[in-house]
Amino acid sequence: MNPVITAHSLRKEYGSLSALQDVSFSIHEGEIFGIIGPDGAGKTSLFRMLTTLMLPDAGQVTVLGLDVKRDYRAIRSRIGYMPGRFSLYQDLTVEENLHFYATLFGVEMKESYELIRDIYVQIEPFRTRRAGKLSGGMKQKLALCCALIHKPEILFLDEPTTGVDPVSRHELWEMLGDLKRRGITIVASTAYMDEARRCDRIAFLESGKIRGIDTPDTILRQYADILTPSGPTHSGAPKEDEYAIEVAELTKTFGTFTAVDHISFRVRKGEIFGFLGANGAGKTTAMRMLTGLSIPTSGRATVDGYDVYTHSEEIKRHIGYMSQKFSLYDDLTVAENIRLFAGIYGMTHADIARHTDEVLRSLGFSDKKNALVKSLPIGWKQKLAFSVSIFHNPAIVFLDEPTGGVDPATRRQFWELIYQAAARGITLFVTTHYMDEAEYCDRISMMVDGKIRAIDTPAALKQQYDAADMDEVFRKLARHATRKSD
């Protein structure tokens, strides 16, 4: 097979930080090549070099036989790039985004329609909707259409499925398989090991160095302790007859649209409760009501004994919350973020100072106390954000996709923090798109089209739906969904 990308002795440094060190590899024409590795391994820096957005400090890169330094304009016209954060204009509609990218590359949509047709027909019903109003799965499909609009020979995807539900992830990889059959070479980074297994070859990048390049089975077996670590051990047990959250017939409508449709459930004190569903199922809307950020249309709910209608401010003071978009300020230091949020929750200066040192020691962040948050790797940010959310020892913590885009080893460490919190008696309400994490919860509820379709322990749900794992349970339930966007 002919190499369409070659990299030789690449090096990239940011001040004293060495992002890439002596990186060499080649990618063959027509293959799906995966790049995996822990947070801060250098994956995004490598992608930016391959797509001509950044130059190496040393070494050489050629794409389609062209030099990234000298021939960057020619390379850009022949590749497609879907960065980690959606490359969409949120205030433009679906159609307007597509026409913008077609104009950017000097092509007519009709010239490329055959290539994007199977993807576009899934988002065409929303063609007049602004991109910012689409669900994660719909944004993903639109971004892919935009990246393909000029018929690229190579498609670069930097963690394209972060924050996307398992059904939409599966659909994307089916699309990538079809694009490969059309002769397009695909280079993709991912934090999901089931996606890595769908590549022809993968490169494992760690601390700026390539540790190995081989078939997925070989690499995942060779580095199993890093890439497929065993799950954490949970020794805590929820209180059987005491409830932290009680919900009855809770409903939220927006005009004629019912986002949350008469849901009922109870969460025990000290329980780790998984709240799952496909993009657009209504999870975020339900969570906003329970955290006092949105008033229900009808129904009843109490959180730590406080009514969601009449005591929303009390609820906010007695809970912790970590959103999928980090609830930290990038331009403040680690210590300043802790002090800010602790102060909001009414802690004294003495308690904040004492507890800050304890938390930083437990996280291994003592030497990062005065570092700006934006300088931290994504996994470190998430562990810090979680520690901030429980800093004031709340009764309940809401975690909205807390580990999106994080490597398996870091996710395991994050769940050890969750288990430690549960052992202290804190109730944890968790949404996630990682189905291995669903296995770590005490109980799971599954939302489909605004309703709770199933609720039980992971073991009981797998037995009920005759499924080997929670991923299969999710697929069996979510395939009946009729709506694709909130």
Side-chain angles (χ1 to χ4, degrees):
M1 289 184 286
N2 298 321
V4 291
I5 297 173
T6 60
H8 180 68
S9 299
L10 293 183
R11 179 170 58 83
K12 185 65 182 179
E13 295 177 351
Y14 303 100
S16 60
L17 175 65
S18 182
L20 293 172
Q21 307 171 51
D22 195 29
V23 170
S24 300
F25 61 91
S26 62
I27 298 175
H28 304 142
E29 183 178 4
E31 76 172 329
I32 299 180
F33 187 86
I35 300 175
I36 62 174
D39 303 309
K43 301 187 295 296
T44 297
S45 293
L46 180 57
F47 262 80
R48 289 174 178 169
M49 289 183 195
L50 297 179
T51 55
T52 77
L53 299 177
M54 177 188 290
L55 293 176
D57 294 328
Q60 294 180 316
V61 185
T62 62
V63 177
L64 296 166
L66 302 169
D67 182 80
V68 295
K69 297 180 182 178
R70 184 181 62 249
D71 306 313
Y72 66 93
R73 292 186 185 275
I75 291 173
R76 291 177 186 178
S77 69
R78 297 173 64 182
I79 66 171
Y81 179 40
M82 193 171 155
R85 295 184 179 180
F86 293 115
S87 53
L88 300 173
Y89 290 88
Q90 303 297 308
D91 290 332
L92 296 183
T93 66
V94 168
E95 279 187 329
E96 288 168 342
N97 268 282
L98 283 168
H99 282 295
F100 172 79
Y101 278 94
T103 302
L104 192 65
F105 286 103
V107 300
E108 295 287 338
M109 267 194 63
K110 61 184 179 183
E111 297 176 29
S112 306
Y113 187 73
E114 183 62 28
L115 180 61
I116 68 171
R117 181 182 60 187
D118 291 344
I119 308 169
Y120 182 65
V121 294
Q122 300 179 50
I123 58 177
E124 191 172 18
F126 310 103
R127 62 185 180 275
T128 60
R129 183 174 295 183
R130 290 183 180 182
K133 297 296 184 181
L134 298 173
S135 69
M138 291 292 115
K139 284 182 179 178
Q140 173 202 64
K141 294 180 177 72
L142 175 57
L144 185 56
C145 285
C146 291
L148 293 169
I149 199 70
H150 59 298
K151 295 183 178 178
E153 296 167 62
I154 304 176
L155 180 63
F156 292 92
L157 307 167
D158 189 5
E159 298 194 0
T161 56
T162 296
V164 177
D165 67 80
V167 172
S168 295
R169 290 200 297 113
H170 178 78
E171 289 175 350
L172 177 90
W173 280 86
E174 289 294 313
M175 295 171 194
L176 296 184
D178 181 62
L179 293 173
K180 175 189 173 182
R181 289 187 286 273
R182 291 171 180 256
I184 296 176
T185 303
I186 296 165
V187 184
S189 66
T190 181
Y192 295 91
M193 294 305 101
D194 61 322
E195 293 182 355
R197 293 183 187 279
R198 302 186 71 155
C199 299
D200 297 305
R201 291 187 301 146
I202 57 176
F204 174 41
L205 193 64
E206 185 183 36
S207 300
K209 297 179 180 179
I210 289 184
R211 303 298 184 185
I213 298 177
D214 213 317
T215 62
D217 284 346
T218 299
I219 294 296
L220 295 178
R221 181 173 61 251
Q222 187 174 355
Y223 298 98
D225 57 329
I226 300 173
L227 299 173
T228 56
S230 58
T233 302
H234 180 25
S235 57
K239 298 179 180 178
E240 287 297 320
D241 300 317
E242 297 182 40
Y243 295 96
I245 300 172
E246 298 186 78
V247 176
E249 300 293 314
L250 197 65
T251 302
K252 182 68 177 182
T253 60
F254 299 96
T256 60
F257 176 68
T258 302
V260 176
D261 193 358
H262 297 85
I263 63 172
S264 300
F265 62 91
R266 294 193 294 181
V267 179
R268 296 183 179 92
K269 290 185 176 180
E271 186 173 23
I272 302 174
F273 187 80
F275 198 59
L276 309 186
N279 294 118
K283 304 186 305 299
T284 299
T285 302
M287 185 178 284
R288 284 179 60 81
M289 288 189 282
L290 295 177
T291 54
L293 298 175
S294 179
I295 300 298
T297 303
S298 64
R300 303 186 309 278
T302 59
V303 176
D304 195 30
Y306 295 102
D307 185 271
V308 295
Y309 291 94
T310 58
H311 296 99
S312 61
E313 292 306 312
E314 287 296 324
I315 289 173
K316 292 172 188 175
R317 281 193 286 271
H318 287 80
I319 66 170
Y321 179 65
M322 179 179 166
S323 71
Q324 62 191 100
K325 295 179 180 178
F326 303 115
S327 50
L328 297 172
Y329 288 91
D330 277 351
D331 291 329
L332 295 182
T333 66
V334 169
E336 287 169 342
N337 265 281
I338 293 174
R339 189 161 61 248
L340 171 65
F341 286 100
I344 290 172
Y345 285 112
M347 295 182 67
T348 66
H349 292 299
D351 285 342
I352 293 171
R354 183 180 67 256
H355 198 35
T356 295
D357 291 335
E358 294 172 0
V359 168
L360 294 179
R361 278 198 303 273
S362 68
L363 292 174
F365 285 7
S366 294
D367 61 338
K368 299 294 183 183
K369 182 175 183 177
N370 297 315
L372 291 177
V373 163
K374 65 183 176 184
S375 70
L376 302 178
I378 185 173
W380 289 34
K381 286 183 181 180
Q382 284 174 303
K383 287 188 283 188
L384 176 62
F386 176 70
S387 296
V388 167
S389 74
I390 64 170
F391 194 82
H392 58 298
N393 199 32
I396 305 164
V397 177
F398 291 85
L399 305 174
D400 191 5
E401 296 179 29
T403 56
V406 176
D407 65 87
T410 304
R411 289 198 293 114
R412 187 192 189 284
Q413 293 168 9
F414 189 92
W415 273 85
E416 288 174 348
L417 295 178
I418 289 178
Y419 281 177
Q420 290 169 17
R424 288 165 48 187
I426 295 175
T427 303
L428 295 115
F429 189 98
V430 187
T431 71
T432 180
H433 285 320
Y434 291 98
M435 291 301 101
D436 60 325
E437 292 185 353
E439 305 271 3
Y440 303 159
C441 298
D442 295 314
R443 282 191 306 144
I444 295 291
S445 77
M446 300 284 289
M447 281 192 78
V448 179
D449 291 344
K451 298 177 181 289
I452 291 181
R453 298 294 187 186
I455 186 167
D456 213 324
T457 65
L461 288 174
K462 286 185 287 187
Q463 183 177 17
Q464 180 181 347
Y465 290 93
D466 190 26
D469 52 34
M470 284 303 300
D471 187 76
E472 188 176 351
V473 172
F474 189 101
R475 291 178 193 277
K476 287 185 175 182
L477 284 163
R479 69 187 178 190
H480 299 297
T482 58
R483 73 192 196 201
K484 300 296 182 182
S485 178
D486 279 321

